[in-house]
Amino acid sequence: MKNSFANQCIRCTVESCKYHNGERDYCSLDSISVGTHEIQPTESRCVDCESFEAKIQG
Ligand code: SF4
């Protein structure tokens, strides 16, 4: 399924997420949740999009 909406406030390149815009590098959600898996995050790789859901292939 292609998500036609591209929220231009949320750039994203995670094509394996089911909310990724099908054609452009944006998220199709109105808003997302961002969190961390670290006790004290110090760089960008310490934080995560917690709205991610894996795209079902097929
Ligand atoms: S939910 Fe998160 S990972 Fe998925 S497309 Fe949106 S910003 Fe990217």
Side-chain angles (χ1 to χ4, degrees):
M1 181 185 90
K2 291 202 172 188
N3 298 309
S4 56
F5 178 61
N7 185 334
Q8 297 194 14
C9 295
I10 310 175
R11 294 170 59 94
C12 180
T13 60
V14 184
E15 295 183 3
S16 62
C17 178
K18 76 177 189 180
Y19 300 118
H20 186 264
N21 178 278
E23 298 178 346
R24 297 190 288 161
D25 284 338
Y26 291 100
C27 182
S28 65
L29 295 177
D30 290 335
S31 66
I32 61 168
S33 294
V34 175
T36 183
H37 52 273
E38 303 282 351
I39 294 171
Q40 190 161 0
T42 55
E43 51 191 324
S44 62
R45 67 181 179 183
C46 298
V47 300
D48 312 291
C49 175
E50 295 182 340
S51 300
F52 170 88
E53 287 192 45
K55 186 188 291 182
I56 295 171
Q57 302 296 325

